[in-house]
Amino acid sequence: MIGRVMKSTGSWYEVIGEDQKKYACRTRGKLRLEDFKESNPIAVGDRVVFELDKNEGIIAEILPRDNHMLRQSVKRTGHASVLAANIDQVLIMATIKQPRTSMGFIDRVLVSAESFRIPQVILFNKKDLLNEKEVDALEHVLTLYQSIGVLTESISAQQDESIEMVEKILQGKVTLIAGHSGVGKSTLLNRLSPDFKQSTGAISDFSEKGTHTTTFAEMLKVNTSTFIIDTPGIKEWGLVNMDQQEISDYFPEMRSLRLECKFGSRCLHINEPKCAIKEAVESGVDRSKSL
Ligand SMILES: Nc1nc2c(ncn2[C@@H]2O[C@H](COP(=O)(O)OP(=O)(O)OP(=O)(O)O)[C@@H](O)[C@H]2O)c(=O)[nH]1
Ligand SMILES: [Mg+2]
Ligand SMILES: [Zn+2]
């Protein structure tokens, strides 16, 4: 039978079969995977072929991936693990406060997703907490990310209108949700189905940060065509396997300009002469209109 990996603990896997039933599966021996460098051979979202042996499934084969998202390994620097495979979009959950998400973090996830050609959505959660000044800051970043063509909205996981909007964004897709600990990833998911019972944790009064409540990635089924992957809060998002020269390719607003630089595709847009991107930044040209 063919199935999709919903959860992985490293030794066993929860797989949802074509019959929509869940099976606990193991692997037998070593699975052959070509060009496999990452530390976890089977990831959440992988499509697998498995055979039933009594009530347990034995995974015989991993089907080729459409795509995957890598995450830098916490244990060994320079090593990456696959956060999830076969995803239709990445949802970056951000917050203006409790905790504050930096734009650097958002940009690194955007660049990383773009490098795997995976569409991105940004949701700023906890809008109910913001004062007037913080609402202005929120409006500013919303406009900024919308102007480069990324679907960006503000929500509150506590408000019904927000949930309806999120349902529309997710419908018919497999969505990976990423963000710092405490931004409200699991809280939002729990609002999407009465069957979801993801643990959620309070924000620390002292640091205004989350407490790393979710500890492994898990895919949840919203309906037969809609899946969402809850992931553990990520402190920093490192770029994996990417050359310096390559990075501007993954900023859509830079991509259209970068060949106009004197050094063309070799330009890092840092302090090279006649850099078209630096010139555009200085003159304030808004290239997003031409995307
Ligand atoms: N005021 C407010 N609080 C929220 C909102 N969404 C989530 N929270 C609270 O934020 C805290 C953290 O939420 P979680 O859902 O556990 O956050 P998480 O992103 O899953 O965190 P990790 O699992 O640690 O990565 C909880 O106390 C939630 O009740 C919101 O829209 N508004
Ligand atoms: Mg969580
Ligand atoms: Zn340049």
mmCIF file of all heavy atoms in Angstrom, residues 182 184-187 198-201 212-215 230-233, ligand 2:
data_model
loop_
_atom_site.group_PDB
_atom_site.id
_atom_site.type_symbol
_atom_site.label_atom_id
_atom_site.label_comp_id
_atom_site.label_asym_id
_atom_site.label_seq_id
_atom_site.Cartn_x
_atom_site.Cartn_y
_atom_site.Cartn_z
ATOM 1 N N GLY A 182 6.540 29.689 20.582
ATOM 2 C CA GLY A 182 5.613 30.581 21.272
ATOM 3 C C GLY A 182 4.813 31.518 20.381
ATOM 4 O O GLY A 182 3.979 32.275 20.864
ATOM 5 N N GLY A 184 2.522 30.690 18.362
ATOM 6 C CA GLY A 184 1.118 30.240 18.320
ATOM 7 C C GLY A 184 0.810 29.239 17.223
ATOM 8 O O GLY A 184 -0.345 29.099 16.819
ATOM 9 N N LYS A 185 1.819 28.501 16.759
ATOM 10 C CA LYS A 185 1.610 27.519 15.691
ATOM 11 C C LYS A 185 0.603 26.448 16.119
ATOM 12 O O LYS A 185 -0.374 26.171 15.423
ATOM 13 C CB LYS A 185 2.949 26.865 15.307
ATOM 14 C CG LYS A 185 4.003 27.848 14.809
ATOM 15 C CD LYS A 185 5.335 27.176 14.459
ATOM 16 C CE LYS A 185 6.075 26.548 15.635
ATOM 17 N NZ LYS A 185 6.531 27.529 16.640
ATOM 18 N N SER A 186 0.852 25.853 17.276
ATOM 19 C CA SER A 186 -0.019 24.761 17.726
ATOM 20 C C SER A 186 -1.396 25.284 18.116
ATOM 21 O O SER A 186 -2.414 24.622 17.883
ATOM 22 C CB SER A 186 0.627 24.027 18.910
ATOM 23 O OG SER A 186 1.878 23.500 18.529
ATOM 24 N N THR A 187 -1.449 26.494 18.681
ATOM 25 C CA THR A 187 -2.734 27.097 19.064
ATOM 26 C C THR A 187 -3.615 27.260 17.831
ATOM 27 O O THR A 187 -4.799 26.929 17.844
ATOM 28 C CB THR A 187 -2.494 28.489 19.705
ATOM 29 O OG1 THR A 187 -1.614 28.320 20.820
ATOM 30 C CG2 THR A 187 -3.791 29.127 20.169
ATOM 31 N N GLN A 198 -2.919 19.412 19.933
ATOM 32 C CA GLN A 198 -1.499 19.728 20.047
ATOM 33 C C GLN A 198 -1.261 20.454 21.379
ATOM 34 O O GLN A 198 -2.059 21.307 21.772
ATOM 35 C CB GLN A 198 -1.058 20.646 18.902
ATOM 36 C CG GLN A 198 -1.242 20.052 17.516
ATOM 37 C CD GLN A 198 -0.395 18.815 17.293
ATOM 38 O OE1 GLN A 198 -0.879 17.700 17.488
ATOM 39 N NE2 GLN A 198 0.861 18.981 16.925
ATOM 40 N N SER A 199 -0.174 20.111 22.035
ATOM 41 C CA SER A 199 0.142 20.807 23.290
ATOM 42 C C SER A 199 0.535 22.242 22.981
ATOM 43 O O SER A 199 1.198 22.519 21.981
ATOM 44 C CB SER A 199 1.325 20.144 23.988
ATOM 45 O OG SER A 199 1.050 18.794 24.188
ATOM 46 N N THR A 200 0.129 23.153 23.841
ATOM 47 C CA THR A 200 0.537 24.550 23.690
ATOM 48 C C THR A 200 1.151 24.996 25.017
ATOM 49 O O THR A 200 0.873 24.411 26.059
ATOM 50 C CB THR A 200 -0.658 25.459 23.348
ATOM 51 O OG1 THR A 200 -1.620 25.368 24.400
ATOM 52 C CG2 THR A 200 -1.316 25.045 22.044
ATOM 53 N N GLY A 201 1.999 26.021 24.963
ATOM 54 C CA GLY A 201 2.683 26.444 26.188
ATOM 55 C C GLY A 201 2.615 27.942 26.372
ATOM 56 O O GLY A 201 2.578 28.690 25.393
ATOM 57 N N HIS A 212 9.289 26.039 23.933
ATOM 58 C CA HIS A 212 9.551 24.846 23.109
ATOM 59 C C HIS A 212 8.633 23.690 23.480
ATOM 60 O O HIS A 212 9.073 22.625 23.908
ATOM 61 C CB HIS A 212 11.034 24.454 23.177
ATOM 62 C CG HIS A 212 11.895 25.479 22.521
ATOM 63 N ND1 HIS A 212 12.123 25.504 21.166
ATOM 64 C CD2 HIS A 212 12.510 26.573 23.024
ATOM 65 C CE1 HIS A 212 12.874 26.546 20.858
ATOM 66 N NE2 HIS A 212 13.114 27.224 21.971
ATOM 67 N N THR A 213 7.339 23.943 23.284
ATOM 68 C CA THR A 213 6.319 22.959 23.658
ATOM 69 C C THR A 213 6.254 21.808 22.648
ATOM 70 O O THR A 213 6.217 20.640 23.030
ATOM 71 C CB THR A 213 4.950 23.660 23.760
ATOM 72 O OG1 THR A 213 5.115 24.803 24.597
ATOM 73 C CG2 THR A 213 3.917 22.735 24.347
ATOM 74 N N THR A 214 6.246 22.130 21.373
ATOM 75 C CA THR A 214 6.228 21.079 20.341
ATOM 76 C C THR A 214 7.663 20.619 20.120
ATOM 77 O O THR A 214 8.558 21.442 19.959
ATOM 78 C CB THR A 214 5.624 21.637 19.027
ATOM 79 O OG1 THR A 214 4.339 22.179 19.312
ATOM 80 C CG2 THR A 214 5.510 20.567 17.964
ATOM 81 N N THR A 215 7.880 19.292 20.131
ATOM 82 C CA THR A 215 9.266 18.826 20.068
ATOM 83 C C THR A 215 9.605 18.032 18.801
ATOM 84 O O THR A 215 10.759 17.738 18.552
ATOM 85 C CB THR A 215 9.614 17.976 21.308
ATOM 86 O OG1 THR A 215 8.584 17.010 21.480
ATOM 87 C CG2 THR A 215 9.697 18.842 22.557
ATOM 88 N N ASP A 230 2.857 20.706 11.755
ATOM 89 C CA ASP A 230 3.273 21.483 12.932
ATOM 90 C C ASP A 230 4.750 21.165 13.167
ATOM 91 O O ASP A 230 5.168 20.017 13.014
ATOM 92 C CB ASP A 230 2.438 21.038 14.148
ATOM 93 C CG ASP A 230 2.542 22.006 15.321
ATOM 94 O OD1 ASP A 230 3.124 23.095 15.166
ATOM 95 O OD2 ASP A 230 2.027 21.660 16.413
ATOM 96 N N THR A 231 5.531 22.170 13.480
ATOM 97 C CA THR A 231 6.963 21.920 13.706
ATOM 98 C C THR A 231 7.397 22.546 15.024
ATOM 99 O O THR A 231 6.751 23.463 15.523
ATOM 100 C CB THR A 231 7.843 22.522 12.572
ATOM 101 O OG1 THR A 231 7.727 23.950 12.613
ATOM 102 C CG2 THR A 231 7.442 22.017 11.209
ATOM 103 N N PRO A 232 8.497 22.066 15.600
ATOM 104 C CA PRO A 232 9.000 22.674 16.832
ATOM 105 C C PRO A 232 9.491 24.092 16.553
ATOM 106 O O PRO A 232 9.986 24.364 15.456
ATOM 107 C CB PRO A 232 10.190 21.789 17.217
ATOM 108 C CG PRO A 232 10.123 20.586 16.354
ATOM 109 C CD PRO A 232 9.343 20.950 15.142
ATOM 110 N N GLY A 233 9.338 24.985 17.513
ATOM 111 C CA GLY A 233 9.814 26.363 17.360
ATOM 112 C C GLY A 233 11.291 26.390 17.003
ATOM 113 O O GLY A 233 12.096 25.631 17.544
HETATM 114 MG MG MG B 2 3.842 24.119 19.223
#
